[in-house]
Amino acid sequence: GTKVMQAACSGQDRMSPPKRWTVALLCVLMMVADGDAFMATQPCCSKRRTTGAVCAASSGSAGGPTLKLIVCQGSSCLGRCKGAFNPRDALAELIQGDGDSNVQIEEVNCMNMCKRGPNVRLVLDGELVTVEGKMNELETKRKAFQNIGGEQRVSGLWQISQQVLTGDLPTMKHGPPPPASL
């Protein structure tokens, strides 16, 4: 189970794209077959750049609400980050450090808000939400946190997400999130 997946996934960043996709799919299939909570902590998920791929998952054993952070991984958004910073990787580290978190990360290739990227949407229990008092007018209108291109912004977003999960911050629901852009 897990040892096989770790071995298969550990060298994935050195593989050609078709081989990476195959190994990633095998990792997911093995995880499902074994019932193993694997995806959040393994390099195959933190290095992948796939549209709509869930890269960090919680076990869900804590109960309560679940929060999905939808992170844009388009080249224009990532090009606006400081140095080689990737908000998805930084958020995945925070989730991993949290242990029994009810937070997931999902990658999308584009949210069509490139000039203000990287962008992150919050989906609470399947509903796209905005956070009153924590988003500016444009972010509220576009239903996404914008300019998440450095550690400070990711840290602030992580704190907001934790307060949303505990119900300490008011949110407005906007229905299901839009489909991922290809």
Side-chain angles (χ1 to χ4, degrees):
T2 302
K3 287 184 182 181
V4 172
M5 287 185 279
Q6 288 171 341
C9 294
S10 63
Q12 188 178 3
D13 56 332
R14 296 182 300 273
M15 296 177 189
S16 65
K19 195 177 272 187
R20 243 191 322 252
W21 280 91
T22 303
V23 170
L25 179 60
L26 287 173
C27 288
V28 172
L29 291 174
M30 290 174 71
M31 180 196 72
V32 170
D34 287 348
D36 210 345
F38 170 74
M39 291 175 85
T41 61
Q42 299 310 315
C44 67
C45 298
S46 65
K47 299 285 184 192
R48 253 188 322 165
R49 290 190 40 164
T50 57
T51 303
V54 176
C55 287
S58 69
S59 64
S61 62
T66 58
L67 184 68
K68 184 185 295 182
L69 305 175
I70 301 177
V71 182
C72 185
Q73 291 290 281
S75 59
S76 179
C77 281
L78 291 179
R80 296 175 191 286
C81 292
K82 299 173 183 172
F85 182 80
N86 187 324
R88 179 214 47 219
D89 293 343
L91 287 165
E93 285 179 27
L94 290 168
I95 291 170
Q96 185 176 356
D98 191 38
D100 195 24
S101 176
N102 284 347
V103 181
Q104 299 177 337
I105 295 177
E106 181 179 325
E107 297 179 23
V108 294
N109 192 39
C110 189
M111 290 186 187
N112 296 317
M113 299 182 268
C114 304
K115 290 183 181 179
R116 298 202 183 261
N119 304 290
V120 178
R121 287 190 166 127
L122 304 183
V123 178
L124 182 63
D125 291 331
E127 298 265 345
L128 182 64
V129 296
T130 52
V131 184
E132 297 175 27
K134 298 294 181 178
M135 300 175 95
N136 65 37
E137 187 176 332
L138 187 58
E139 288 175 325
T140 301
K141 179 181 175 184
R142 294 182 174 178
K143 300 172 187 71
F145 285 92
Q146 300 182 319
N147 300 309
I148 310 295
E151 288 288 341
Q152 187 174 5
R153 290 284 288 163
V154 166
S155 178
L157 180 62
W158 179 251
Q159 290 174 357
I160 290 168
S161 69
Q162 295 304 295
Q163 292 173 327
V164 166
L165 274 173
T166 60
D168 292 337
L169 280 177
T171 61
M172 177 158 301
K173 294 183 178 184
H174 300 280
S181 296
L182 301 173

